Coordinates of all heavy atoms in Angstrom, one line a residue:
E1 N 174.8 -100.3 119.4 CA 173.5 -101.0 119.3 C 173.3 -101.3 117.8 O 173.2 -100.4 117.0 CB 172.3 -100.3 119.9 CG 171.0 -101.1 119.8 CD 170.0 -100.6 120.7 OE1 169.8 -99.4 120.8 OE2 169.3 -101.4 121.3
E2 N 173.1 -102.6 117.5 CA 172.8 -103.0 116.1 C 171.5 -102.4 115.7 O 170.5 -102.4 116.4 CB 172.7 -104.5 116.0 CG 174.0 -105.3 116.2 CD 175.0 -105.1 115.0 OE1 174.5 -104.6 113.9 OE2 176.2 -105.4 115.2
G3 N 171.5 -101.8 114.5 CA 170.2 -101.2 113.9 C 170.0 -99.8 114.3 O 169.1 -99.2 113.7
C4 N 170.8 -99.3 115.3 CA 170.6 -97.9 115.7 C 171.0 -97.0 114.5 O 172.1 -97.2 113.9 CB 171.3 -97.6 116.9 SG 171.2 -95.8 117.5
Q5 N 170.3 -95.9 114.2 CA 170.6 -95.0 113.1 C 171.3 -93.8 113.5 O 171.4 -92.8 112.7 CB 169.3 -94.7 112.4 CG 168.6 -95.9 111.7 CD 169.5 -96.6 110.7 OE1 170.0 -96.0 109.8 NE2 169.7 -97.9 110.9
C6 N 171.7 -93.7 114.8 CA 172.4 -92.5 115.2 C 173.8 -92.4 114.6 O 174.4 -93.4 114.1 CB 172.5 -92.4 116.7 SG 173.8 -93.3 117.5
Y7 N 174.4 -91.2 114.6 CA 175.7 -90.9 114.0 C 176.7 -91.8 114.6 O 177.6 -92.4 113.9 CB 176.0 -89.5 114.1 CG 177.5 -89.1 113.8 CD1 177.9 -88.9 112.5 CD2 178.4 -89.0 114.8 CE1 179.2 -88.6 112.2 CE2 179.8 -88.7 114.5 CZ 180.1 -88.5 113.2 OH 181.4 -88.2 112.9
T8 N 176.7 -92.0 115.9 CA 177.7 -92.8 116.6 C 177.7 -94.2 116.2 O 178.7 -94.8 115.9 CB 177.5 -92.7 118.2 OG1 177.5 -91.3 118.6 CG2 178.5 -93.5 118.9
C9 N 176.5 -94.8 116.2 CA 176.4 -96.2 115.8 C 176.7 -96.5 114.4 O 177.2 -97.6 114.0 CB 175.0 -96.7 116.2 SG 174.7 -96.9 118.0
K10 N 176.5 -95.5 113.5 CA 176.7 -95.7 112.1 C 178.2 -95.5 111.7 O 178.7 -95.9 110.6 CB 175.9 -94.8 111.2 CG 174.4 -95.1 111.2 CD 173.7 -94.4 110.1 CE 173.5 -93.0 110.3 NZ 172.6 -92.3 109.3
N11 N 179.0 -95.0 112.7 CA 180.4 -94.7 112.3 C 181.5 -95.2 113.3 O 182.6 -95.2 112.9 CB 180.5 -93.1 112.3 CG 179.8 -92.5 111.1 OD1 180.3 -92.5 110.0 ND2 178.6 -92.0 111.4
Y12 N 181.1 -95.7 114.5 CA 182.1 -96.0 115.4 C 181.8 -97.4 116.1 O 180.7 -97.7 116.3 CB 182.3 -95.0 116.5 CG 182.7 -93.6 115.9 CD1 181.7 -92.6 115.7 CD2 184.0 -93.3 115.5 CE1 182.0 -91.4 115.2 CE2 184.3 -92.1 114.9 CZ 183.3 -91.2 114.7 OH 183.6 -90.0 114.2
S13 N 182.9 -98.1 116.4 CA 182.7 -99.4 117.1 C 182.8 -99.3 118.6 O 183.3 -98.3 119.1 CB 183.8 -100.4 116.6 OG 185.1 -99.9 117.1
R14 N 182.3 -100.3 119.3 CA 182.5 -100.4 120.7 C 183.9 -100.3 121.1 O 184.3 -99.7 122.1 CB 181.8 -101.7 121.2 CG 180.3 -101.7 121.1 CD 179.8 -103.1 121.5 NE 178.3 -103.1 121.5 CZ 177.6 -104.2 121.8 NH1 178.2 -105.3 122.3 NH2 176.3 -104.1 121.8
A15 N 184.8 -101.0 120.4 CA 186.2 -101.1 120.7 C 186.8 -99.7 120.6 O 187.6 -99.3 121.5 CB 186.9 -102.0 119.7
Y16 N 186.4 -98.9 119.6 CA 187.0 -97.5 119.5 C 186.5 -96.6 120.6 O 187.2 -95.9 121.2 CB 186.6 -97.0 118.1 CG 187.1 -95.5 118.0 CD1 188.4 -95.2 117.9 CD2 186.1 -94.5 117.9 CE1 188.9 -93.9 117.7 CE2 186.6 -93.2 117.7 CZ 187.9 -92.9 117.6 OH 188.4 -91.6 117.5
L17 N 185.2 -96.8 120.9 CA 184.6 -95.9 122.0 C 185.3 -96.3 123.3 O 185.5 -95.4 124.1 CB 183.1 -96.1 122.1 CG 182.3 -95.6 120.9 CD1 180.9 -96.1 120.9 CD2 182.4 -94.1 120.9
R18 N 185.5 -97.6 123.6 CA 186.2 -98.0 124.8 C 187.6 -97.3 124.9 O 188.0 -96.8 125.9 CB 186.2 -99.5 124.9 CG 186.9 -99.9 126.2 CD 187.0 -101.5 126.3 NE 187.7 -101.8 127.6 CZ 189.0 -101.9 127.7 NH1 189.8 -101.7 126.7 NH2 189.5 -102.3 128.9
H19 N 188.3 -97.4 123.8 CA 189.6 -96.8 123.7 C 189.5 -95.3 124.1 O 190.4 -94.8 124.8 CB 190.2 -96.9 122.3 CG 191.2 -95.9 122.0 ND1 192.5 -95.9 122.6 CD2 191.2 -94.8 121.1 CE1 193.2 -94.9 122.1 NE2 192.4 -94.2 121.2
L20 N 188.5 -94.6 123.5 CA 188.4 -93.1 123.8 C 188.2 -92.9 125.3 O 188.8 -91.9 125.9 CB 187.3 -92.5 123.0 CG 187.4 -92.5 121.5 CD1 186.2 -91.9 120.9 CD2 188.7 -91.7 121.1
Y21 N 187.4 -93.7 125.9 CA 187.2 -93.5 127.4 C 188.5 -93.8 128.2 O 188.9 -93.1 129.1 CB 186.1 -94.4 127.9 CG 184.7 -93.8 127.7 CD1 183.9 -94.2 126.7 CD2 184.2 -92.8 128.6 CE1 182.6 -93.7 126.5 CE2 183.0 -92.3 128.4 CZ 182.2 -92.7 127.4 OH 181.0 -92.1 127.2
K22 N 189.2 -94.9 127.8 CA 190.4 -95.3 128.5 C 191.5 -94.2 128.3 O 192.3 -93.9 129.2 CB 190.9 -96.6 128.0 CG 190.0 -97.8 128.4 CD 190.0 -97.9 129.9 CE 189.2 -99.1 130.4 NZ 189.1 -99.2 131.9
A23 N 191.5 -93.5 127.1 CA 192.4 -92.5 126.8 C 191.9 -91.1 127.4 O 192.6 -90.1 127.2 CB 192.7 -92.4 125.3
E24 N 190.7 -91.1 128.0 CA 190.2 -89.9 128.5 C 190.0 -88.8 127.5 O 190.3 -87.6 127.7 CB 191.0 -89.4 129.7 CG 191.0 -90.4 130.9 CD 191.8 -89.8 132.1 OE1 192.4 -88.7 132.0 OE2 191.7 -90.5 133.1
E25 N 189.6 -89.2 126.3 CA 189.3 -88.3 125.2 C 187.9 -87.7 125.3 O 187.0 -88.4 125.5 CB 189.5 -89.0 123.8 CG 191.0 -89.3 123.5 CD 191.8 -88.0 123.1 OE1 191.2 -87.0 122.9 OE2 193.0 -88.1 123.1
I26 N 187.8 -86.4 125.1 CA 186.5 -85.7 125.2 C 185.5 -86.3 124.2 O 184.3 -86.3 124.4 CB 186.7 -84.2 125.0 CG1 187.5 -83.6 126.2 CG2 185.4 -83.5 124.9 CD1 187.9 -82.2 126.0
L27 N 186.0 -86.7 123.0 CA 185.1 -87.2 122.0 C 184.3 -88.4 122.5 O 183.1 -88.6 122.1 CB 185.9 -87.7 120.8 CG 185.1 -88.2 119.6 CD1 184.2 -87.1 119.1 CD2 186.1 -88.7 118.5
A28 N 184.8 -89.2 123.4 CA 184.0 -90.3 124.0 C 182.7 -89.8 124.6 O 181.7 -90.4 124.4 CB 184.9 -91.0 125.1
L29 N 182.8 -88.7 125.4 CA 181.6 -88.2 126.1 C 180.6 -87.7 125.0 O 179.4 -87.9 125.2 CB 182.0 -87.0 127.0 CG 183.3 -87.2 127.9 CD1 183.4 -86.0 128.8 CD2 183.2 -88.5 128.7
R30 N 181.1 -87.0 124.0 CA 180.3 -86.5 123.0 C 179.5 -87.6 122.2 O 178.3 -87.5 122.0 CB 181.1 -85.6 122.0 CG 181.4 -84.2 122.5 CD 182.2 -83.4 121.5 NE 181.9 -83.5 120.1 CZ 180.8 -82.9 119.5 NH1 179.9 -82.3 120.3 NH2 180.6 -83.1 118.2
L31 N 180.2 -88.6 121.8 CA 179.6 -89.7 121.0 C 178.6 -90.5 121.8 O 177.5 -90.8 121.2 CB 180.7 -90.6 120.4 CG 181.7 -90.0 119.4 CD1 182.7 -91.0 119.0 CD2 180.9 -89.5 118.2
V32 N 178.8 -90.8 123.0 CA 177.9 -91.6 123.8 C 176.7 -90.7 124.2 O 175.6 -91.2 124.3 CB 178.5 -92.3 124.9 CG1 177.5 -93.1 125.8 CG2 179.6 -93.3 124.4
T33 N 177.0 -89.4 124.5 CA 175.9 -88.5 124.8 C 174.9 -88.4 123.6 O 173.7 -88.5 123.7 CB 176.4 -87.1 125.2 OG1 177.1 -87.2 126.4 CG2 175.2 -86.1 125.3
Y34 N 175.5 -88.3 122.4 CA 174.7 -88.2 121.2 C 173.9 -89.5 121.0 O 172.7 -89.4 120.8 CB 175.7 -88.2 120.0 CG 175.1 -87.8 118.6 CD1 175.3 -86.5 118.1 CD2 174.3 -88.7 117.9 CE1 174.8 -86.2 116.8 CE2 173.8 -88.4 116.7 CZ 174.0 -87.1 116.2 OH 173.4 -86.8 115.0
H35 N 174.5 -90.6 121.3 CA 173.7 -91.9 121.1 C 172.6 -92.0 122.2 O 171.4 -92.3 121.8 CB 174.6 -93.1 121.3 CG 173.9 -94.4 121.5 ND1 173.3 -95.1 120.5 CD2 173.5 -95.0 122.7 CE1 172.7 -96.2 121.0 NE2 172.8 -96.1 122.3
N36 N 172.9 -91.6 123.4 CA 171.9 -91.8 124.5 C 170.7 -90.9 124.2 O 169.5 -91.3 124.4 CB 172.5 -91.4 125.9 CG 173.3 -92.6 126.4 OD1 173.4 -93.7 125.8 ND2 174.0 -92.4 127.5
L37 N 170.9 -89.6 123.8 CA 169.8 -88.7 123.6 C 169.0 -89.2 122.3 O 167.8 -89.1 122.3 CB 170.3 -87.3 123.3 CG 170.9 -86.6 124.6 CD1 171.4 -85.2 124.2 CD2 169.7 -86.4 125.6
Y38 N 169.7 -89.7 121.3 CA 169.0 -90.2 120.1 C 168.1 -91.4 120.5 O 167.0 -91.5 120.1 CB 170.0 -90.7 119.1 CG 169.4 -91.3 117.9 CD1 169.1 -90.5 116.8 CD2 169.1 -92.6 117.8 CE1 168.4 -91.0 115.6 CE2 168.4 -93.2 116.7 CZ 168.1 -92.4 115.6 OH 167.5 -92.9 114.5
F39 N 168.7 -92.2 121.4 CA 167.9 -93.4 121.8 C 166.6 -93.0 122.5 O 165.5 -93.5 122.2 CB 168.7 -94.3 122.8 CG 167.9 -95.2 123.6 CD1 167.4 -96.4 123.0 CD2 167.6 -95.0 124.9 CE1 166.6 -97.2 123.7 CE2 166.8 -95.8 125.6 CZ 166.3 -97.0 125.0
L40 N 166.7 -92.1 123.5 CA 165.5 -91.6 124.2 C 164.5 -90.9 123.3 O 163.3 -91.1 123.4 CB 165.8 -90.8 125.4 CG 166.3 -91.5 126.6 CD1 166.5 -90.5 127.8 CD2 165.4 -92.6 127.0
L41 N 165.0 -90.1 122.4 CA 164.1 -89.3 121.5 C 163.4 -90.3 120.5 O 162.2 -90.2 120.2 CB 164.9 -88.3 120.7 CG 165.4 -87.1 121.6 CD1 166.4 -86.3 120.8 CD2 164.3 -86.2 122.1
E42 N 164.2 -91.3 120.0 CA 163.6 -92.3 119.2 C 162.6 -93.2 119.9 O 161.5 -93.6 119.4 CB 164.7 -93.2 118.6 CG 164.2 -94.3 117.6 CD 163.5 -93.8 116.4 OE1 163.6 -92.6 116.0 OE2 162.8 -94.6 115.8
F43 N 162.9 -93.5 121.2 CA 162.0 -94.3 122.0 C 160.6 -93.5 122.1 O 159.6 -94.1 122.0 CB 162.6 -94.5 123.4 CG 161.9 -95.4 124.3 CD1 161.9 -96.8 124.0 CD2 161.2 -94.9 125.4 CE1 161.2 -97.6 124.9 CE2 160.5 -95.8 126.3 CZ 160.5 -97.2 126.0
M44 N 160.7 -92.2 122.3 CA 159.5 -91.4 122.4 C 158.7 -91.4 121.1 O 157.5 -91.4 121.1 CB 159.8 -90.0 122.9 CG 160.5 -89.9 124.3 SD 159.6 -90.8 125.6 CE 158.2 -89.7 125.8
R45 N 159.5 -91.3 120.0 CA 158.8 -91.3 118.7 C 158.1 -92.6 118.4 O 157.0 -92.6 117.9 CB 159.9 -91.0 117.6 CG 160.4 -89.5 117.6 CD 161.2 -89.3 116.3 NE 162.5 -89.9 116.4 CZ 163.6 -89.3 116.8 NH1 163.6 -88.0 117.2 NH2 164.8 -89.9 116.8
Q46 N 158.7 -93.7 118.8 CA 158.1 -95.0 118.6 C 156.8 -95.1 119.5 O 155.8 -95.7 119.0 CB 159.1 -96.1 118.9 CG 160.3 -96.2 117.9 CD 159.8 -96.6 116.6 OE1 158.8 -97.3 116.4 NE2 160.5 -96.1 115.5
M47 N 156.9 -94.6 120.7 CA 155.7 -94.7 121.5 C 154.6 -93.8 121.0 O 153.4 -94.2 120.9 CB 156.0 -94.2 123.0 CG 156.6 -95.3 123.8 SD 156.5 -94.9 125.6 CE 157.7 -93.7 125.8
R48 N 154.9 -92.6 120.5 CA 153.9 -91.8 119.9 C 153.2 -92.5 118.7 O 152.0 -92.5 118.5 CB 154.5 -90.4 119.4 CG 153.5 -89.6 118.7 CD 154.2 -88.2 118.2 NE 153.5 -87.6 117.2 CZ 152.4 -86.9 117.4 NH1 151.9 -86.7 118.6 NH2 151.7 -86.3 116.4

């Protein structure tokens, strides 16, 4: 996501993440989990 400040978005591309999933690499799960949790926590911070 453009503008997202999470570690995943600042360091990795969609193409690389897709590759990790296709290669069944554990890092794929970690990086997208990191992003999803960051997104929801930031969403709550913005609402507050």
Side-chain angles (χ1 to χ4, degrees):
E1 181 163 42
E2 291 290 347
C4 178
Q5 296 301 304
C6 82
Y7 170 80
T8 300
C9 287
K10 288 196 290 186
N11 290 280
Y12 301 100
S13 67
R14 293 177 176 180
Y16 178 67
L17 292 169
R18 180 180 181 273
H19 156 70
L20 292 180
Y21 276 102
K22 290 299 181 180
E24 299 184 352
E25 288 288 344
I26 294 173
L27 183 59
L29 317 185
R30 282 180 39 76
L31 291 176
V32 178
T33 296
Y34 193 108
H35 167 83
N36 283 357
L37 289 175
Y38 178 91
F39 163 75
L40 280 187
L41 293 167
E42 179 63 18
F43 188 72
M44 301 306 289
R45 287 190 287 265
Q46 292 294 328
M47 275 200 285
R48 173 181 164 81

